[in-house]
């Protein structure tokens, strides 16, 4: 069951990124671009969770996962800060 949840989280994040990118191409709103890049990083983070816990359970990718999550949050924070100013 956990494998399905990890995979669905990854696919959902990737799908959100695609939808945001598609809307950015249509409107050109910069907030959509940065938000879509954040969701790409979240999808990568979910892929690393899947890899860490399912594919390679003996390895520890927690530092890499935390780094990717930090990038994702930073991208979204930058998007929100620049959208306000």
């Amino acid at each position: 069951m956990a494998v399905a949840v990890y995979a669905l989280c990854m696919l959902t994040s990737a799908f959100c990124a695609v939808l945001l990118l598609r809307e950015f191409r249509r409107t050109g709103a910069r907030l959509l671009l940065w938000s879509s890049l954040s969701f790409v990083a979240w999808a990568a983070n979910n892929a690393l969770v899947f890899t860490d816990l399912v594919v390679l359970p003996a390895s520890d990718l927690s530092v890499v996962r935390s780094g990717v999550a930090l990038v994702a949050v930073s991208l979204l924070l930058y998007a929100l800060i620049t959208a306000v100013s």
Side-chain angles (χ1 to χ4, degrees):
M1 184 66 169
V3 175
V5 171
Y6 298 144
L8 285 174
C9 287
M10 180 183 59
L11 291 173
T12 302
S13 297
F15 184 64
C16 288
V18 168
L19 290 176
L20 286 165
L21 275 172
R22 189 176 72 176
E23 190 64 19
F24 167 71
R25 288 179 59 196
R26 192 178 69 80
T27 64
R30 307 270 308 167
L31 180 61
L32 293 171
L33 172 65
W34 290 106
S35 298
S36 65
L37 292 176
S38 176
F39 271 94
V40 167
W42 284 119
N45 187 36
N46 287 326
L48 285 171
V49 168
F50 182 80
T51 303
D52 190 16
L53 299 178
V54 176
V55 177
L56 303 170
S59 67
D60 182 25
L61 298 176
S62 62
V63 174
V64 178
R65 287 188 292 138
S66 297
V68 173
L70 178 64
V71 168
V73 169
S74 299
L75 286 169
L76 195 57
L77 182 63
Y78 178 78
L80 293 173
I81 289 171
T82 58
V84 172
S85 58

